[in-house]
Amino acid sequence: MKGANSDMGQDNTHPGNNGTGDEESPVDPGSPQRSALDAITKYRLIIGGIVLGVLILIGVVIWVLVGVLANHPAAVSTPGPATSTSRGPLPADVEAKDYQLGDCFADFDSSATTSKVVDCTTGHSAQLGAIFRYKAEDSFPGANALRDKGREICRDVMLNEASTKYALLQQNAYPSATSWDNGDRRVDCFIVVNSGNTLKESVLQK
């Protein structure tokens, strides 16, 4: 039998350690470990605040840019003058399939497969006023339908004030059955004079 001073049944574990490892004792609020955790938490909060502020700023900038672009009028392309400025040096011999709207021609022959394209400020006898292209899969419509189409597109040609100085005629060119089979699908309307190369300017409205 143990004496009265026996330590049997007493809890002799050190404060902060119960000897089992199953539980942890509370940390002293004034301990250095708690102070270190508080500093890390504050640092994270500061960094998080900065990141959040930057994200908000980026969002505001994007919102402003979207608003500005949405209200900005889209650029409107305006048709350029009906001349052959994109061809490069003139005069140039050009195949009929490559005629461009506004081209001016010296000594023009509508039945020729090649014509001389010149600057419209130099003497010429014709200017291409309108073009209509049938689809590649279209079947040959016949000479009468092609002739009517040529007259139709000629009616829509807009002439400028300078055209009143000249006695002008309209002349059509359209595919034959043979050229149609070879891929020719265009109908052209030419504004012409019958007195040589007397035109000295474009007669088409810009």
Side-chain angles (χ1 to χ4, degrees):
M1 181 176 178
K2 291 187 181 293
N5 294 328
S6 172
D7 60 359
M8 184 177 179
Q10 292 181 358
D11 185 3
N12 293 325
T13 58
H14 189 275
N17 182 5
N18 62 12
T20 65
D22 294 333
E23 297 179 1
E24 293 183 358
S25 60
V27 178
D28 182 2
S31 67
Q33 184 177 358
R34 178 60 179 271
S35 299
L37 289 174
D38 288 345
I40 292 173
T41 301
K42 290 179 181 179
Y43 177 76
R44 288 177 177 173
L45 288 175
I46 292 172
I47 295 299
I50 293 174
V51 171
L52 181 61
V54 170
L55 291 176
I56 291 174
L57 181 60
I58 292 174
V60 170
V61 171
I62 293 175
W63 179 78
V64 170
L65 289 176
V66 169
V68 169
L69 292 175
N71 294 325
H72 193 278
V76 178
S77 60
T78 55
T83 60
S84 305
T85 54
S86 62
R87 285 204 176 280
L90 297 177
D93 290 330
V94 178
E95 293 185 17
K97 65 182 180 62
D98 296 323
Y99 293 166
Q100 297 177 8
L101 185 65
D103 276 349
C104 293
F105 305 90
D107 302 316
F108 180 67
D109 178 0
S110 61
S111 62
T113 57
T114 301
S115 293
K116 180 178 289 185
V117 177
V118 298
D119 191 287
C120 291
T121 59
T122 63
H124 56 282
S125 59
Q127 186 170 8
L128 181 53
I131 302 171
F132 178 85
R133 289 183 175 86
Y134 286 90
K135 296 179 181 178
E137 63 271 20
D138 287 344
S139 57
F140 183 67
N144 291 336
L146 290 169
R147 186 182 303 110
D148 291 342
K149 177 59 70 175
R151 291 170 179 170
E152 176 187 330
I153 65 174
C154 275
R155 285 195 297 268
D156 295 331
V157 174
M158 302 296 291
L159 301 179
N160 58 22
E161 187 176 348
S163 66
T164 60
K165 298 186 293 184
Y166 306 96
L168 299 175
L169 304 171
Q170 295 176 347
Q171 192 171 86
N172 304 129
Y174 46 85
S176 64
T178 302
S179 66
W180 184 278
D181 291 340
N182 291 330
D184 184 7
R185 295 292 188 274
R186 60 184 287 163
V187 177
D188 295 332
C189 172
F190 297 93
I191 309 302
V192 303
V193 291
N194 57 3
S195 54
N197 297 316
T198 55
L199 293 171
K200 302 293 183 181
E201 56 202 316
S202 172
V203 295
L204 300 183
Q205 192 174 97
K206 294 182 180 180

